[in-house]
Amino acid sequence: MYILGVESTCDESGIALIEAEKERVKVLANELRSQIKIHTPYGGVVPILAAREHKKNLPYLLKIIEKNFDLKKVDYLAFSVGPGLLPALVEGKEFVFNLAKKLNKKIIPVDHLYAHFASVLIKNKLNVWQKIRKINFPILVLVVSGGHTNLYLFESFTKFKKLGQTLDDAAGETLDKGARALNLGYPGGPIIEEKAKKAKNIYLLPKPLLEKGLNFSFSGLKTAFNELIKEIKEASGSLSEEEICNLSASLQKTIFEILIYKLNKAKQIYRPKEIIITGGVSANMTLRKMAKKFFRNIRVIFPERSLSTDNGLNIAIGGYLLLKEKSLALDPEKIEVYPRTV
Ligand code: KG4
Ligand code: ZN
């Protein structure tokens, strides 16, 4: 069967097309248009601009796919139903609903965080049949992105419960805001990763909520980081490149230590067979190395780096899993987008 996946929760417009049967998937297209340039002057994503861009980008991406594929052959349309920026979600929904009507197809609503989970199961490789990666349940899943820091226990592909989440800022958001405070641009995560490579010293920063349960909190860390920047600026007049690198490494290291600490806590309680770390922040090589080094006796799985951040392929594969395991495809009138995590 053929599934089209549409992503529009935030600042990436993405459409992918997969062919799938049983345990095998072939990626036929994975088109992405990033809006980074549009949002950079604002230091973060502006929801209404994101929606405007999706409106422009999604038809454009579909046209590219249509050049090589007759859309009438598509069986289902999967789209990111939430959580995300409401105007952006609504734009994606409009686009998919119109297409579903035109092609007379059913829709698979896919939770954006579920799609981040699904991203570890495939490779971003065009036109090659690949087996869906085998994973062993129960499995701990940490989704770390710009909007979310959620920890789940998955008992199967469709049975899972949330163990914890951030009570304030998300991990990626903290990196983005940290980068903004250092005047480094947007999105912050990859820039901070680069700067951190040249660090010579590490500052000690607080780890709020560390010992309390499985929820996360990063806003206290953000405040402490901003204070530290102020102190250094007051003492030396400005921030040297060396200081920027040191600060970047300190922020990144502190966040990753918190993530690993909480994962380990959950591991001790729930005894999972494997651990998945996914979402935009999981693209970070330092996080990957730290987690693999820490969890020596258990497999830690990451998505292919190109699938860590948002894209249509994650949605398509998430949609296929939901359909395969739960026969979850709906008529449009039963679907509502949602901005917050459920
Ligand atoms: O999953 P994603 O594309 O969007 C959301 O669902 O939020 O994640 C975007 C986040 C941003 O905060 C960005 O700074 C972060 O992922 N990110 C990274 C890296 N690449 C993207 N953070 C750390 N290191 C990276 N290499
Ligand atoms: Zn995401």
Side-chain angles (χ1 to χ4, degrees), residues 9 112-113 116 145 148 279-280 308-310:
T9 49
H112 178 81
L113 303 183
H116 274 306
S145 69
H148 313 277
S308 283
T309 43
D310 297 345

Side-chain angles (χ1 to χ4, degrees), residues 138-142 151-153 163 263 266-267 272 274-276:
I139 189 159
L140 272 180
V141 179
L142 178 66
L151 183 59
Y152 299 90
L153 184 71
L163 306 176
L263 262 175
K267 176 178 167 270
E274 302 184 312
I275 294 173
I276 287 174

Side-chain angles (χ1 to χ4, degrees), residues 7 9-12 83 112-113 115-116 143-148 278-281 307-311 314:
E7 160 61 33
T9 49
C10 192
D11 58 347
E12 305 283 353
H112 178 81
L113 303 183
H116 274 306
V143 185
V144 260
S145 69
H148 313 277
T278 183
V281 179
L307 298 182
S308 283
T309 43
D310 297 345
N311 63 80
N314 293 354

Side-chain angles (χ1 to χ4, degrees), residues 190-232:
I191 310 174
I192 294 251
E193 177 173 21
E194 277 313 303
K195 294 284 177 196
K197 286 180 187 159
K198 290 175 269 166
K200 296 216 170 80
N201 288 307
I202 294 288
Y203 291 102
L204 210 57
L205 289 161
K207 297 175 183 162
L209 220 69
L210 195 65
E211 295 300 337
K212 292 203 186 117
L214 295 175
N215 284 327
F216 301 83
S217 166
F218 294 104
S219 79
L221 167 59
K222 175 186 65 188
T223 310
F225 186 67
N226 289 339
E227 286 297 314
L228 180 59
I229 294 175
K230 219 164 97 189
E231 272 170 36
I232 297 173

Side-chain angles (χ1 to χ4, degrees), residues 13-304:
S13 315
I15 307 187
L17 176 68
I18 60 167
E19 185 176 359
E21 54 173 41
K22 294 192 179 130
E23 304 305 316
R24 296 190 323 150
V25 177
K26 185 154 79 170
V27 182
L28 300 177
N30 186 16
E31 297 295 335
L32 194 68
R33 262 200 139 178
S34 171
Q35 306 178 0
I36 286 177
K37 278 202 184 121
I38 310 276
H39 302 287
T40 298
Y42 305 93
V45 183
V46 184
I48 209 74
L49 291 183
R52 193 188 71 187
E53 289 304 301
H54 289 310
K55 196 180 178 114
K56 240 177 16 202
N57 292 343
L58 293 175
Y60 170 83
L61 297 177
L62 190 68
K63 276 220 167 75
I64 298 177
I65 293 175
E66 243 179 325
K67 275 189 194 148
N68 301 313
F69 188 83
D70 178 4
L71 288 180
K72 286 195 211 92
K73 287 200 303 200
V74 167
D75 293 283
Y76 294 95
L77 304 175
F79 86 111
S80 48
V81 65
L85 305 170
L86 195 56
L89 289 169
V90 168
E91 213 46 68
K93 179 182 158 181
E94 283 275 292
F95 174 79
V96 169
F97 276 39
N98 286 336
L99 194 61
K101 208 165 152 194
K102 196 169 125 197
L103 301 172
N104 194 22
K105 304 291 173 189
K106 283 202 168 182
I107 295 173
I108 315 169
V110 182
D111 183 281
H112 178 81
L113 303 183
Y114 186 79
H116 274 306
F117 155 71
S119 71
V120 306
L121 303 175
I122 44 156
K123 293 198 176 87
N124 186 12
K125 205 170 183 186
L126 277 186
N127 295 315
V128 179
W129 278 107
Q130 47 181 301
K131 275 199 161 167
I132 293 175
R133 183 188 209 151
K134 206 171 153 9
I135 53 170
N136 297 298
F137 299 101
I139 189 159
L140 272 180
V141 179
L142 178 66
V143 185
V144 260
S145 69
H148 313 277
T149 308
N150 284 17
L151 183 59
Y152 299 90
L153 184 71
F154 273 60
E155 309 271 5
S156 73
F157 281 120
T158 49
K159 194 164 169 251
F160 52 89
K161 65 175 174 184
K162 189 160 64 187
L163 306 176
Q165 67 182 71
T166 182
L167 302 179
D168 38 61
D169 293 348
E173 187 181 0
T174 312
L175 290 168
D176 293 338
K177 287 178 177 169
R180 201 187 310 166
L182 293 171
N183 266 327
L184 293 179
Y186 164 86
I191 310 174
I192 294 251
E193 177 173 21
E194 277 313 303
K195 294 284 177 196
K197 286 180 187 159
K198 290 175 269 166
K200 296 216 170 80
N201 288 307
I202 294 288
Y203 291 102
L204 210 57
L205 289 161
K207 297 175 183 162
L209 220 69
L210 195 65
E211 295 300 337
K212 292 203 186 117
L214 295 175
N215 284 327
F216 301 83
S217 166
F218 294 104
S219 79
L221 167 59
K222 175 186 65 188
T223 310
F225 186 67
N226 289 339
E227 286 297 314
L228 180 59
I229 294 175
K230 219 164 97 189
E231 272 170 36
I232 297 173
K233 272 187 181 161
E234 272 166 16
S236 13
S238 67
L239 281 183
S240 66
E241 178 62 19
E242 188 180 327
E243 281 298 7
I244 290 175
C245 295
N246 291 343
L247 285 160
S248 297
S250 310
L251 181 65
Q252 171 178 282
K253 182 167 183 281
T254 309
I255 293 172
F256 298 165
E257 282 174 354
I258 296 171
L259 298 177
I260 290 171
Y261 190 91
K262 295 276 179 176
L263 262 175
N264 190 43
K265 223 169 166 184
K267 176 178 167 270
Q268 283 163 1
I269 302 170
Y270 295 98
R271 307 261 159 219
K273 292 216 177 77
E274 302 184 312
I275 294 173
I276 287 174
I277 304 179
T278 183
V281 179
S282 78
N284 189 290
M285 288 313 293
T286 305
L287 171 63
R288 289 180 180 224
K289 280 188 201 134
M290 280 171 73
K292 290 215 162 151
K293 194 166 166 207
F294 185 90
F295 296 109
R296 279 173 196 278
N297 55 356
I298 182 166
R299 185 163 73 141
V300 188
I301 306 171
F302 294 90
E304 200 174 278

